[in-house]
Amino acid sequence: MTSIERTAYPRFRRAPTVRELREIYTPTLTDVAFVATTARGPAQKFGLMILLKVYQRLGYFPKPETIPGAIIGHIRATMKFEASLVPDIASNHTLYRYHAAIRTHLEIQSEGKHIRHIAAQAMHKAAQVMETPADLINAATEMLVKEHCELPAS
């Protein structure tokens, strides 16, 4: 089995750079408007914004505990939340609602059978000219991103 580290599958860096934080994880006006109309209180808005920015970067929803503190801190600072504010992303019910809202907002396809079909087609086509598992995974990942599909969580 090919190691995830040998593929282009998106994942967090151990220590994101200041430039990466600024360019990737700084909320846009569109992001702020979406969060403002979807979540109510500060903790909910904070949690939803974290999940939105992380999804925009990775293409899937990671477990909340795997999100680096630097990203959370950057979003907290840019949204001007107090240092003591804890994002509301602990319960499965809340995560389910936030994931559904983000999928709708970003027009993401998340139906498993459809995504598997797209990935299988991409891998079959790539297998005509490539043979390493990492290359096939990269081809499937690239096609899923292009087709606005949610990637399977790693």
Side-chain angles (χ1 to χ4, degrees), residues 127-139:
Q128 308 303 312
V129 293
M130 302 173 189
E131 62 182 44
T132 64
D135 289 338
L136 300 178
I137 292 169
N138 290 342

Side-chain angles (χ1 to χ4, degrees), residues 91-143:
S91 78
N92 286 336
H93 179 70
T94 300
L95 288 175
Y96 179 82
R97 284 187 301 110
Y98 290 170
H99 292 178
I102 291 169
R103 287 181 187 116
T104 300
H105 173 66
L106 298 177
E107 299 177 356
I108 300 299
Q109 299 179 51
S110 62
E111 204 277 316
K113 185 176 181 182
H114 176 69
I115 291 171
R116 283 190 300 277
H117 179 72
I118 291 171
Q121 282 185 317
M123 292 175 91
H124 178 72
K125 185 176 177 182
Q128 308 303 312
V129 293
M130 302 173 189
E131 62 182 44
T132 64
D135 289 338
L136 300 178
I137 292 169
N138 290 342
T141 301
E142 182 180 327
M143 183 56 71

Side-chain angles (χ1 to χ4, degrees), residues 9-145:
Y9 200 83
R11 56 195 174 278
F12 293 119
R13 296 177 68 180
R14 288 182 189 240
T17 65
V18 172
R19 180 179 180 188
E20 182 179 11
L21 290 171
R22 187 175 53 248
E23 292 178 0
I24 297 171
Y25 298 104
T26 298
T28 65
L29 294 176
T30 304
D31 297 336
V32 172
F34 162 69
V35 167
T37 60
T38 306
R40 292 185 213 149
Q44 291 77 21
K45 289 178 183 180
F46 187 24
L48 182 57
M49 184 62 77
I50 290 168
L51 294 174
L52 174 63
K53 296 311 292 181
V54 165
Y55 182 88
Q56 288 172 333
R57 167 66 177 98
L58 299 178
Y60 62 91
F61 296 104
K63 294 178 182 174
E65 62 270 15
T66 65
I67 301 171
I71 294 170
I72 294 170
H74 175 74
I75 293 171
R76 175 185 280 118
T78 57
M79 294 187 73
K80 297 179 174 49
F81 288 132
E82 294 181 17
S84 61
L85 184 65
V86 176
D88 182 17
I89 52 175
S91 78
N92 286 336
H93 179 70
T94 300
L95 288 175
Y96 179 82
R97 284 187 301 110
Y98 290 170
H99 292 178
I102 291 169
R103 287 181 187 116
T104 300
H105 173 66
L106 298 177
E107 299 177 356
I108 300 299
Q109 299 179 51
S110 62
E111 204 277 316
K113 185 176 181 182
H114 176 69
I115 291 171
R116 283 190 300 277
H117 179 72
I118 291 171
Q121 282 185 317
M123 292 175 91
H124 178 72
K125 185 176 177 182
Q128 308 303 312
V129 293
M130 302 173 189
E131 62 182 44
T132 64
D135 289 338
L136 300 178
I137 292 169
N138 290 342
T141 301
E142 182 180 327
M143 183 56 71
L144 290 173
V145 169

